[in-house]
mmCIF file of all heavy atoms in Angstrom:
data_model
loop_
_atom_site.group_PDB
_atom_site.id
_atom_site.type_symbol
_atom_site.label_atom_id
_atom_site.label_comp_id
_atom_site.label_asym_id
_atom_site.label_seq_id
_atom_site.Cartn_x
_atom_site.Cartn_y
_atom_site.Cartn_z
ATOM 1 N N TYR A 176 10.428 -16.689 -3.709
ATOM 2 C CA TYR A 176 9.695 -17.716 -4.416
ATOM 3 C C TYR A 176 8.513 -18.158 -3.570
ATOM 4 O O TYR A 176 8.609 -18.431 -2.385
ATOM 5 C CB TYR A 176 10.616 -18.938 -4.662
ATOM 6 C CG TYR A 176 11.705 -18.642 -5.663
ATOM 7 C CD1 TYR A 176 12.925 -18.139 -5.233
ATOM 8 C CD2 TYR A 176 11.521 -18.871 -7.050
ATOM 9 C CE1 TYR A 176 13.968 -17.888 -6.119
ATOM 10 C CE2 TYR A 176 12.570 -18.643 -7.922
ATOM 11 C CZ TYR A 176 13.774 -18.146 -7.442
ATOM 12 O OH TYR A 176 14.776 -17.844 -8.321
ATOM 13 N N VAL A 177 7.322 -18.224 -4.183
ATOM 14 C CA VAL A 177 6.086 -18.509 -3.441
ATOM 15 C C VAL A 177 5.696 -19.996 -3.792
ATOM 16 O O VAL A 177 5.543 -20.341 -4.981
ATOM 17 C CB VAL A 177 4.946 -17.590 -3.882
ATOM 18 C CG1 VAL A 177 3.679 -17.952 -3.161
ATOM 19 C CG2 VAL A 177 5.353 -16.156 -3.597
ATOM 20 N N THR A 178 5.586 -20.806 -2.800
ATOM 21 C CA THR A 178 5.251 -22.193 -2.939
ATOM 22 C C THR A 178 3.900 -22.540 -2.340
ATOM 23 O O THR A 178 3.362 -23.639 -2.524
ATOM 24 C CB THR A 178 6.309 -23.115 -2.371
ATOM 25 O OG1 THR A 178 6.426 -22.781 -0.990
ATOM 26 C CG2 THR A 178 7.639 -22.969 -3.053
ATOM 27 N N LYS A 179 3.301 -21.548 -1.656
ATOM 28 C CA LYS A 179 2.039 -21.769 -0.982
ATOM 29 C C LYS A 179 1.285 -20.487 -0.969
ATOM 30 O O LYS A 179 1.826 -19.424 -0.626
ATOM 31 C CB LYS A 179 2.290 -22.277 0.442
ATOM 32 C CG LYS A 179 0.960 -22.603 1.198
ATOM 33 C CD LYS A 179 1.320 -23.081 2.622
ATOM 34 C CE LYS A 179 0.022 -23.363 3.406
ATOM 35 N NZ LYS A 179 0.359 -23.805 4.774
ATOM 36 N N ALA A 180 -0.011 -20.534 -1.321
ATOM 37 C CA ALA A 180 -0.853 -19.317 -1.364
ATOM 38 C C ALA A 180 -1.140 -18.843 0.050
ATOM 39 O O ALA A 180 -1.402 -19.651 0.958
ATOM 40 C CB ALA A 180 -2.125 -19.632 -2.154
ATOM 41 N N PRO A 181 -1.161 -17.544 0.278
ATOM 42 C CA PRO A 181 -1.476 -17.000 1.636
ATOM 43 C C PRO A 181 -2.940 -17.325 1.982
ATOM 44 O O PRO A 181 -3.798 -17.468 1.105
ATOM 45 C CB PRO A 181 -1.319 -15.495 1.467
ATOM 46 C CG PRO A 181 -0.424 -15.317 0.243
ATOM 47 C CD PRO A 181 -0.725 -16.500 -0.664
ATOM 48 N N THR A 182 -3.187 -17.476 3.258
ATOM 49 C CA THR A 182 -4.566 -17.731 3.788
ATOM 50 C C THR A 182 -5.371 -16.487 3.758
ATOM 51 O O THR A 182 -4.901 -15.406 3.636
ATOM 52 C CB THR A 182 -4.477 -18.329 5.159
ATOM 53 O OG1 THR A 182 -3.890 -17.329 6.070
ATOM 54 C CG2 THR A 182 -3.624 -19.582 5.164
ATOM 55 N N LEU A 183 -6.680 -16.644 3.919
ATOM 56 C CA LEU A 183 -7.570 -15.513 4.010
ATOM 57 C C LEU A 183 -7.290 -14.623 5.139
ATOM 58 O O LEU A 183 -7.407 -13.355 5.078
ATOM 59 C CB LEU A 183 -9.050 -15.983 4.054
ATOM 60 C CG LEU A 183 -9.576 -16.760 2.793
ATOM 61 C CD1 LEU A 183 -10.990 -17.235 3.049
ATOM 62 C CD2 LEU A 183 -9.475 -15.888 1.568
ATOM 63 N N GLU A 184 -6.867 -15.217 6.318
ATOM 64 C CA GLU A 184 -6.526 -14.418 7.476
ATOM 65 C C GLU A 184 -5.306 -13.553 7.220
ATOM 66 O O GLU A 184 -5.253 -12.379 7.618
ATOM 67 C CB GLU A 184 -6.269 -15.307 8.673
ATOM 68 C CG GLU A 184 -7.499 -16.067 9.213
ATOM 69 C CD GLU A 184 -7.897 -17.257 8.343
ATOM 70 O OE1 GLU A 184 -7.089 -17.595 7.413
ATOM 71 O OE2 GLU A 184 -8.985 -17.779 8.568
ATOM 72 N N GLU A 185 -4.311 -14.110 6.514
ATOM 73 C CA GLU A 185 -3.137 -13.301 6.181
ATOM 74 C C GLU A 185 -3.481 -12.153 5.256
ATOM 75 O O GLU A 185 -2.971 -11.051 5.369
ATOM 76 C CB GLU A 185 -2.114 -14.228 5.550
ATOM 77 C CG GLU A 185 -1.454 -15.214 6.532
ATOM 78 C CD GLU A 185 -0.542 -16.209 5.890
ATOM 79 O OE1 GLU A 185 -0.726 -16.455 4.648
ATOM 80 O OE2 GLU A 185 0.365 -16.695 6.565
ATOM 81 N N ILE A 186 -4.415 -12.438 4.295
ATOM 82 C CA ILE A 186 -4.807 -11.373 3.385
ATOM 83 C C ILE A 186 -5.531 -10.223 4.053
ATOM 84 O O ILE A 186 -5.259 -9.045 3.822
ATOM 85 C CB ILE A 186 -5.680 -11.998 2.225
ATOM 86 C CG1 ILE A 186 -4.851 -12.915 1.362
ATOM 87 C CG2 ILE A 186 -6.300 -10.880 1.378
ATOM 88 C CD1 ILE A 186 -5.636 -13.654 0.345
ATOM 89 N N GLU A 187 -6.412 -10.579 5.026
ATOM 90 C CA GLU A 187 -7.131 -9.580 5.803
ATOM 91 C C GLU A 187 -6.149 -8.738 6.608
ATOM 92 O O GLU A 187 -6.334 -7.501 6.768
ATOM 93 C CB GLU A 187 -8.160 -10.229 6.651
ATOM 94 C CG GLU A 187 -9.357 -10.818 5.912
ATOM 95 C CD GLU A 187 -10.099 -9.745 5.112
ATOM 96 O OE1 GLU A 187 -10.187 -8.617 5.625
ATOM 97 O OE2 GLU A 187 -10.605 -10.034 4.019
ATOM 98 N N THR A 188 -5.175 -9.369 7.208
ATOM 99 C CA THR A 188 -4.134 -8.650 7.942
ATOM 100 C C THR A 188 -3.398 -7.663 7.055
ATOM 101 O O THR A 188 -3.128 -6.504 7.490
ATOM 102 C CB THR A 188 -3.170 -9.631 8.586
ATOM 103 O OG1 THR A 188 -3.869 -10.506 9.414
ATOM 104 C CG2 THR A 188 -2.112 -8.894 9.427
ATOM 105 N N ALA A 189 -3.083 -8.060 5.851
ATOM 106 C CA ALA A 189 -2.410 -7.207 4.929
ATOM 107 C C ALA A 189 -3.255 -5.999 4.546
ATOM 108 O O ALA A 189 -2.812 -4.870 4.461
ATOM 109 C CB ALA A 189 -1.989 -7.952 3.679
ATOM 110 N N LYS A 190 -4.528 -6.238 4.290
ATOM 111 C CA LYS A 190 -5.458 -5.165 3.951
ATOM 112 C C LYS A 190 -5.632 -4.136 5.079
ATOM 113 O O LYS A 190 -5.699 -2.933 4.883
ATOM 114 C CB LYS A 190 -6.809 -5.718 3.528
ATOM 115 C CG LYS A 190 -6.851 -6.466 2.205
ATOM 116 C CD LYS A 190 -8.257 -6.939 1.893
ATOM 117 C CE LYS A 190 -8.270 -7.672 0.544
ATOM 118 N NZ LYS A 190 -9.652 -8.156 0.237
ATOM 119 N N LYS A 191 -5.630 -4.713 6.322
ATOM 120 C CA LYS A 191 -5.779 -3.784 7.451
ATOM 121 C C LYS A 191 -4.539 -2.934 7.602
ATOM 122 O O LYS A 191 -4.627 -1.776 7.948
ATOM 123 C CB LYS A 191 -5.992 -4.647 8.721
ATOM 124 C CG LYS A 191 -6.242 -3.803 9.978
ATOM 125 C CD LYS A 191 -6.491 -4.746 11.166
ATOM 126 C CE LYS A 191 -6.702 -3.945 12.429
ATOM 127 N NZ LYS A 191 -6.952 -4.795 13.637
ATOM 128 N N GLY A 192 -3.386 -3.548 7.391
ATOM 129 C CA GLY A 192 -2.162 -2.747 7.451
ATOM 130 C C GLY A 192 -2.062 -1.645 6.440
ATOM 131 O O GLY A 192 -1.599 -0.546 6.717
ATOM 132 N N VAL A 193 -2.534 -1.887 5.236
ATOM 133 C CA VAL A 193 -2.525 -0.913 4.181
ATOM 134 C C VAL A 193 -3.466 0.227 4.517
ATOM 135 O O VAL A 193 -3.176 1.410 4.334
ATOM 136 C CB VAL A 193 -2.882 -1.525 2.806
ATOM 137 C CG1 VAL A 193 -3.109 -0.441 1.737
ATOM 138 C CG2 VAL A 193 -1.860 -2.494 2.348
ATOM 139 N N ALA A 194 -4.613 -0.090 5.100
ATOM 140 C CA ALA A 194 -5.581 0.926 5.454
ATOM 141 C C ALA A 194 -5.058 1.814 6.570
ATOM 142 O O ALA A 194 -5.221 3.063 6.584
ATOM 143 C CB ALA A 194 -6.894 0.257 5.896
ATOM 144 N N GLU A 195 -4.368 1.221 7.562
ATOM 145 C CA GLU A 195 -3.816 1.989 8.660
ATOM 146 C C GLU A 195 -2.639 2.846 8.236
ATOM 147 O O GLU A 195 -2.368 3.910 8.860
ATOM 148 C CB GLU A 195 -3.407 1.067 9.836
ATOM 149 C CG GLU A 195 -4.605 0.376 10.506
ATOM 150 C CD GLU A 195 -4.172 -0.582 11.610
ATOM 151 O OE1 GLU A 195 -2.939 -0.771 11.712
ATOM 152 O OE2 GLU A 195 -5.033 -1.056 12.315
ATOM 153 N N SER A 196 -1.909 2.453 7.195
ATOM 154 C CA SER A 196 -0.765 3.274 6.709
ATOM 155 C C SER A 196 -1.172 4.523 6.021
ATOM 156 O O SER A 196 -0.343 5.419 5.802
ATOM 157 C CB SER A 196 0.141 2.436 5.825
ATOM 158 O OG SER A 196 -0.533 2.137 4.641
ATOM 159 N N LYS A 197 -2.475 4.582 5.635
ATOM 160 C CA LYS A 197 -3.054 5.743 4.923
ATOM 161 C C LYS A 197 -2.273 6.091 3.633
ATOM 162 O O LYS A 197 -2.133 7.244 3.293
ATOM 163 C CB LYS A 197 -3.069 6.948 5.880
ATOM 164 C CG LYS A 197 -3.984 6.813 7.093
ATOM 165 C CD LYS A 197 -3.983 7.995 7.966
ATOM 166 C CE LYS A 197 -4.897 7.799 9.182
ATOM 167 N NZ LYS A 197 -4.933 8.978 10.055
ATOM 168 N N GLY A 198 -1.805 5.100 2.949
ATOM 169 C CA GLY A 198 -1.196 5.265 1.651
ATOM 170 C C GLY A 198 0.295 5.664 1.698
ATOM 171 O O GLY A 198 0.850 5.925 0.612
ATOM 172 N N TRP A 199 0.944 5.736 2.854
ATOM 173 C CA TRP A 199 2.352 6.087 2.920
ATOM 174 C C TRP A 199 3.192 4.925 2.463
ATOM 175 O O TRP A 199 3.054 3.808 2.963
ATOM 176 C CB TRP A 199 2.736 6.546 4.326
ATOM 177 C CG TRP A 199 2.232 7.920 4.667
ATOM 178 C CD1 TRP A 199 1.096 8.216 5.345
ATOM 179 C CD2 TRP A 199 2.822 9.136 4.271
ATOM 180 N NE1 TRP A 199 0.941 9.603 5.392
ATOM 181 C CE2 TRP A 199 2.024 10.178 4.791
ATOM 182 C CE3 TRP A 199 3.968 9.498 3.569
ATOM 183 C CZ2 TRP A 199 2.289 11.541 4.589
ATOM 184 C CZ3 TRP A 199 4.267 10.838 3.386
ATOM 185 C CH2 TRP A 199 3.450 11.809 3.872
ATOM 186 N N GLU A 200 4.140 5.193 1.557
ATOM 187 C CA GLU A 200 4.991 4.161 0.994
ATOM 188 C C GLU A 200 6.440 4.714 0.918
ATOM 189 O O GLU A 200 6.691 5.930 1.078
ATOM 190 C CB GLU A 200 4.567 3.791 -0.418
ATOM 191 C CG GLU A 200 3.167 3.235 -0.519
ATOM 192 C CD GLU A 200 3.025 1.815 0.118
ATOM 193 O OE1 GLU A 200 4.014 1.216 0.403
ATOM 194 O OE2 GLU A 200 1.867 1.347 0.262
ATOM 195 N N LYS A 201 7.381 3.822 0.691
ATOM 196 C CA LYS A 201 8.774 4.177 0.481
ATOM 197 C C LYS A 201 9.083 4.064 -0.975
ATOM 198 O O LYS A 201 8.863 3.029 -1.611
ATOM 199 C CB LYS A 201 9.659 3.259 1.305
ATOM 200 C CG LYS A 201 11.165 3.600 1.166
ATOM 201 C CD LYS A 201 11.991 2.575 1.995
ATOM 202 C CE LYS A 201 13.474 2.932 1.865
ATOM 203 N NZ LYS A 201 14.312 2.009 2.663
ATOM 204 N N CYS A 202 9.621 5.153 -1.538
ATOM 205 C CA CYS A 202 9.967 5.192 -2.981
ATOM 206 C C CYS A 202 10.977 4.126 -3.318
ATOM 207 O O CYS A 202 12.053 4.034 -2.679
ATOM 208 C CB CYS A 202 10.422 6.566 -3.398
ATOM 209 S SG CYS A 202 10.722 6.737 -5.162
ATOM 210 N N ASP A 203 10.757 3.360 -4.359
ATOM 211 C CA ASP A 203 11.658 2.314 -4.765
ATOM 212 C C ASP A 203 12.892 2.863 -5.456
ATOM 213 O O ASP A 203 13.888 2.148 -5.645
ATOM 214 C CB ASP A 203 10.962 1.344 -5.664
ATOM 215 C CG ASP A 203 11.760 0.133 -6.034
ATOM 216 O OD1 ASP A 203 12.186 -0.602 -5.141
ATOM 217 O OD2 ASP A 203 12.066 -0.128 -7.286
ATOM 218 N N ARG A 204 12.866 4.125 -5.842
ATOM 219 C CA ARG A 204 13.946 4.740 -6.587
ATOM 220 C C ARG A 204 14.879 5.573 -5.710
ATOM 221 O O ARG A 204 16.072 5.415 -5.714
ATOM 222 C CB ARG A 204 13.446 5.560 -7.786
ATOM 223 C CG ARG A 204 12.817 4.672 -8.909
ATOM 224 C CD ARG A 204 12.133 5.445 -9.948
ATOM 225 N NE ARG A 204 11.711 4.710 -11.121
ATOM 226 C CZ ARG A 204 10.972 5.114 -12.084
ATOM 227 N NH1 ARG A 204 10.459 6.329 -12.078
ATOM 228 N NH2 ARG A 204 10.661 4.304 -13.103
ATOM 229 N N CYS A 205 14.271 6.546 -5.039
ATOM 230 C CA CYS A 205 15.033 7.471 -4.235
ATOM 231 C C CYS A 205 15.032 7.150 -2.727
ATOM 232 O O CYS A 205 15.876 7.685 -1.990
ATOM 233 C CB CYS A 205 14.551 8.910 -4.406
ATOM 234 S SG CYS A 205 12.903 9.234 -3.725
ATOM 235 N N GLY A 206 14.165 6.243 -2.284
ATOM 236 C CA GLY A 206 14.060 5.876 -0.885
ATOM 237 C C GLY A 206 13.334 6.822 0.012
ATOM 238 O O GLY A 206 13.267 6.639 1.218
ATOM 239 N N GLY A 207 12.746 7.863 -0.572
ATOM 240 C CA GLY A 207 12.021 8.806 0.206
ATOM 241 C C GLY A 207 10.572 8.343 0.527
ATOM 242 O O GLY A 207 10.060 7.432 -0.098
ATOM 243 N N ARG A 208 9.963 9.016 1.488
ATOM 244 C CA ARG A 208 8.604 8.668 1.876
ATOM 245 C C ARG A 208 7.608 9.517 1.108
ATOM 246 O O ARG A 208 7.851 10.731 0.919
ATOM 247 C CB ARG A 208 8.394 8.885 3.365
ATOM 248 C CG ARG A 208 9.352 8.029 4.263
ATOM 249 C CD ARG A 208 8.974 6.577 4.286
ATOM 250 N NE ARG A 208 7.686 6.372 4.929
ATOM 251 C CZ ARG A 208 7.114 5.176 5.070
ATOM 252 N NH1 ARG A 208 7.727 4.064 4.584
ATOM 253 N NH2 ARG A 208 5.974 5.030 5.662
ATOM 254 N N PHE A 209 6.545 8.933 0.688
ATOM 255 C CA PHE A 209 5.499 9.704 -0.055
ATOM 256 C C PHE A 209 4.163 8.996 0.169
ATOM 257 O O PHE A 209 4.097 7.876 0.696
ATOM 258 C CB PHE A 209 5.837 9.820 -1.544
ATOM 259 C CG PHE A 209 5.651 8.494 -2.290
ATOM 260 C CD1 PHE A 209 4.512 8.302 -3.142
ATOM 261 C CD2 PHE A 209 6.569 7.472 -2.200
ATOM 262 C CE1 PHE A 209 4.378 7.134 -3.820
ATOM 263 C CE2 PHE A 209 6.408 6.306 -2.900
ATOM 264 C CZ PHE A 209 5.262 6.110 -3.724
ATOM 265 N N GLN A 210 3.117 9.651 -0.236
ATOM 266 C CA GLN A 210 1.785 9.138 -0.052
ATOM 267 C C GLN A 210 1.146 8.835 -1.407
ATOM 268 O O GLN A 210 1.278 9.637 -2.357
ATOM 269 C CB GLN A 210 0.923 10.153 0.744
ATOM 270 C CG GLN A 210 -0.289 9.502 1.360
ATOM 271 C CD GLN A 210 -1.038 10.475 2.298
ATOM 272 O OE1 GLN A 210 -0.706 11.657 2.325
ATOM 273 N NE2 GLN A 210 -2.015 10.059 3.020
ATOM 274 N N VAL A 211 0.454 7.707 -1.554
ATOM 275 C CA VAL A 211 -0.169 7.331 -2.764
ATOM 276 C C VAL A 211 -1.692 7.338 -2.567
ATOM 277 O O VAL A 211 -2.148 6.980 -1.482
ATOM 278 C CB VAL A 211 0.335 5.924 -3.223
ATOM 279 C CG1 VAL A 211 -0.050 4.853 -2.225
ATOM 280 C CG2 VAL A 211 -0.197 5.547 -4.607
ATOM 281 N N PHE A 212 -2.397 7.744 -3.615
ATOM 282 C CA PHE A 212 -3.874 7.862 -3.531
ATOM 283 C C PHE A 212 -4.530 7.047 -4.658
ATOM 284 O O PHE A 212 -4.784 7.544 -5.771
ATOM 285 C CB PHE A 212 -4.274 9.345 -3.733
ATOM 286 C CG PHE A 212 -3.513 10.288 -2.834
ATOM 287 C CD1 PHE A 212 -2.607 11.149 -3.366
ATOM 288 C CD2 PHE A 212 -3.692 10.275 -1.456
ATOM 289 C CE1 PHE A 212 -1.877 12.028 -2.529
ATOM 290 C CE2 PHE A 212 -2.992 11.127 -0.627
ATOM 291 C CZ PHE A 212 -2.123 12.029 -1.187
ATOM 292 N N PRO A 213 -4.781 5.739 -4.398
ATOM 293 C CA PRO A 213 -5.541 4.932 -5.356
ATOM 294 C C PRO A 213 -6.889 5.537 -5.664
ATOM 295 O O PRO A 213 -7.621 5.918 -4.796
ATOM 296 C CB PRO A 213 -5.662 3.555 -4.712
ATOM 297 C CG PRO A 213 -4.501 3.551 -3.700
ATOM 298 C CD PRO A 213 -4.395 4.939 -3.221
ATOM 299 N N GLY A 214 -7.252 5.623 -6.974
ATOM 300 C CA GLY A 214 -8.510 6.229 -7.337
ATOM 301 C C GLY A 214 -8.456 7.716 -7.385
ATOM 302 O O GLY A 214 -9.454 8.376 -7.687
ATOM 303 N N ARG A 215 -7.276 8.320 -7.144
ATOM 304 C CA ARG A 215 -7.029 9.777 -7.223
ATOM 305 C C ARG A 215 -7.616 10.514 -6.040
ATOM 306 O O ARG A 215 -8.708 10.220 -5.510
ATOM 307 C CB ARG A 215 -7.569 10.349 -8.532
ATOM 308 C CG ARG A 215 -6.850 9.839 -9.775
ATOM 309 C CD ARG A 215 -7.237 10.678 -11.000
ATOM 310 N NE ARG A 215 -6.563 10.116 -12.194
ATOM 311 C CZ ARG A 215 -5.377 10.523 -12.578
ATOM 312 N NH1 ARG A 215 -4.669 11.382 -11.868
ATOM 313 N NH2 ARG A 215 -4.801 9.957 -13.652
ATOM 314 N N ARG A 216 -6.890 11.545 -5.638
ATOM 315 C CA ARG A 216 -7.349 12.427 -4.580
ATOM 316 C C ARG A 216 -8.333 13.424 -5.124
ATOM 317 O O ARG A 216 -8.523 13.463 -6.384
ATOM 318 C CB ARG A 216 -6.134 13.154 -3.993
ATOM 319 C CG ARG A 216 -6.371 13.758 -2.625
ATOM 320 C CD ARG A 216 -5.044 14.159 -1.934
ATOM 321 N NE ARG A 216 -4.299 15.081 -2.778
ATOM 322 C CZ ARG A 216 -3.093 15.616 -2.378
ATOM 323 N NH1 ARG A 216 -2.626 15.365 -1.218
ATOM 324 N NH2 ARG A 216 -2.469 16.396 -3.213
ATOM 325 N N GLU A 217 -8.935 14.244 -4.293
ATOM 326 C CA GLU A 217 -9.909 15.173 -4.772
ATOM 327 C C GLU A 217 -9.343 16.201 -5.780
ATOM 328 O O GLU A 217 -10.044 16.617 -6.717
ATOM 329 C CB GLU A 217 -10.509 15.946 -3.591
ATOM 330 C CG GLU A 217 -11.318 15.088 -2.634
ATOM 331 C CD GLU A 217 -11.892 15.857 -1.476
ATOM 332 O OE1 GLU A 217 -11.615 17.111 -1.377
ATOM 333 O OE2 GLU A 217 -12.647 15.288 -0.694
ATOM 334 N N ASP A 218 -8.047 16.546 -5.588
ATOM 335 C CA ASP A 218 -7.456 17.493 -6.570
ATOM 336 C C ASP A 218 -6.929 16.809 -7.848
ATOM 337 O O ASP A 218 -6.333 17.423 -8.689
ATOM 338 C CB ASP A 218 -6.311 18.250 -5.898
ATOM 339 C CG ASP A 218 -5.180 17.281 -5.391
ATOM 340 O OD1 ASP A 218 -5.423 16.056 -5.488
ATOM 341 O OD2 ASP A 218 -4.189 17.776 -4.865
ATOM 342 N N GLY A 219 -7.107 15.447 -7.943
ATOM 343 C CA GLY A 219 -6.741 14.722 -9.136
ATOM 344 C C GLY A 219 -5.411 14.081 -9.103
ATOM 345 O O GLY A 219 -5.034 13.395 -10.053
ATOM 346 N N SER A 220 -4.623 14.307 -8.035
ATOM 347 C CA SER A 220 -3.293 13.788 -7.988
ATOM 348 C C SER A 220 -3.292 12.319 -7.499
ATOM 349 O O SER A 220 -4.199 11.878 -6.762
ATOM 350 C CB SER A 220 -2.392 14.598 -7.065
ATOM 351 O OG SER A 220 -2.926 14.591 -5.727
ATOM 352 N N LEU A 221 -2.287 11.547 -7.958
ATOM 353 C CA LEU A 221 -2.192 10.153 -7.587
ATOM 354 C C LEU A 221 -1.168 9.908 -6.465
ATOM 355 O O LEU A 221 -1.263 8.931 -5.696
ATOM 356 C CB LEU A 221 -1.760 9.300 -8.798
ATOM 357 C CG LEU A 221 -2.801 9.168 -9.914
ATOM 358 C CD1 LEU A 221 -2.180 8.485 -11.144
ATOM 359 C CD2 LEU A 221 -3.985 8.382 -9.421
ATOM 360 N N THR A 222 -0.179 10.791 -6.375
ATOM 361 C CA THR A 222 0.846 10.664 -5.294
ATOM 362 C C THR A 222 1.240 12.071 -4.791
ATOM 363 O O THR A 222 0.888 13.086 -5.376
ATOM 364 C CB THR A 222 2.121 10.005 -5.877
ATOM 365 O OG1 THR A 222 2.647 10.820 -6.903
ATOM 366 C CG2 THR A 222 1.827 8.602 -6.418
#
C-alpha cells in the first residue's frame, strides 16, 4: 500500500538501476532470468 509518493531522488535512483541492469529481469511465471528490450531490439524481438 502506497501512502506517500516517491521523491525525485528516489525516482532517479530507480532509473539508474534499470539502466545498469541492461534489461535483465526475473520471469514472474517460471522464475527464470531473461532480458527485455523496450522499443524492440534491432532484430525486432521484445524479450
Side-chain angles (χ1 to χ4, degrees):
Y176 293 88
V177 179
T178 57
K179 182 180 179 182
T182 62
L183 295 178
E184 291 77 9
E185 291 174 334
I186 294 176
E187 290 299 326
T188 303
K190 289 182 178 179
K191 184 178 179 181
V193 172
E195 292 179 352
S196 68
K197 297 182 180 180
W199 285 97
E200 301 288 350
K201 181 180 179 181
C202 182
D203 187 59
R204 289 172 171 170
C205 68
R208 301 287 294 178
F209 73 104
Q210 199 172 9
V211 63
F212 311 111
R215 294 188 182 275
R216 198 168 55 177
E217 293 180 357
D218 60 355
S220 60
L221 291 172
T222 62

